[in-house]
Amino acid sequence: PALQRSWCGVAEAFGETGPAAFFCLRHPPPRGTCAGSGDKCRWRSNPSITFHEQRALQKPASVEQVGVQIGGNVQARVRDQVAPSVQVVGVLANWPQISAPDMEDGRAFTESEVRAAARVIVINTVATDRLFGGNDALGRDIQLKGSPFTVVGVYKASASFRSGGEH
């Protein structure tokens, strides 16, 4: 019920302005530091979107795609190359339809890989340079938090409005 009321208000507002895509975030875009508690970090108690909610958001005929993403910073390792803190974002297989990456090599992951929780990864050119010295990364493994993920694609890094830089 609350989601439906919110959706109606959002649909009316966006219908008037005409955007083709928008983001619903668990938290506000970064504006300074969050010391871990207090008024600045109240968003941390906001629940993450569920897959049930993702499917509900996609029901109106005017909605073509709804994506879900979750992320954070982790250590990445390729043999003796270590990046102590890289941004990792987990997305659904419809990621290319929502935010089409400029693929340089390989492919995005498939729906069946997502359903099977396959350990595959698509990285950007910055990660390729830092972890593989600019060499071919396809088919090679990256350790994230000690678990191997096989590179299936490489996309061109670009400035991101939401991240404020390379993403």
Side-chain angles (χ1 to χ4, degrees):
L3 180 60
Q4 290 172 343
R5 285 192 301 275
S6 296
W7 175 252
C8 291
V10 169
E12 287 175 18
F14 281 107
E16 292 171 7
T17 59
F22 63 94
F23 294 90
C24 297
L25 302 173
R26 175 180 180 213
H27 56 85
R31 290 186 187 167
T33 60
C34 181
S37 63
D39 289 341
K40 290 183 178 180
C41 297
R42 284 184 285 170
W43 59 265
R44 287 187 175 167
S45 63
N46 294 344
S48 297
I49 189 171
T50 66
F51 289 110
H52 175 74
E53 291 168 328
Q54 180 251 348
R55 287 187 296 275
L57 286 169
Q58 198 160 334
K59 284 190 178 190
S62 61
V63 177
E64 291 183 29
Q65 297 284 336
V66 174
V68 176
Q69 72 177 36
I70 186 168
N73 290 326
V74 300
Q75 182 187 73
R77 175 185 298 271
V78 174
R79 294 188 181 163
D80 60 342
Q81 287 289 86
V82 177
S85 181
V86 296
Q87 182 182 18
V88 175
V89 179
V91 295
L92 297 176
N94 66 348
W95 163 59
Q97 287 78 38
I98 295 170
S99 180
D102 183 4
M103 296 299 291
E104 290 216 345
D105 204 3
R107 60 174 176 81
F109 35 83
T110 66
E111 182 67 37
S112 62
E113 288 170 331
V114 171
R115 277 193 304 261
R119 292 187 181 269
V120 294
I121 188 169
V122 178
I123 63 175
N124 66 24
T125 50
V126 173
T128 302
D129 290 342
R130 290 182 183 161
L131 294 170
F132 297 101
N135 296 318
D136 185 17
L138 288 183
R140 296 182 63 192
D141 284 346
I142 296 176
Q143 297 278 328
L144 299 176
K145 294 178 76 174
S147 297
F149 289 80
T150 302
V151 176
V152 296
V154 177
Y155 69 95
K156 184 178 179 185
S158 62
S160 168
F161 169 74
R162 290 179 27 239
S163 69
E166 286 182 340
H167 183 73

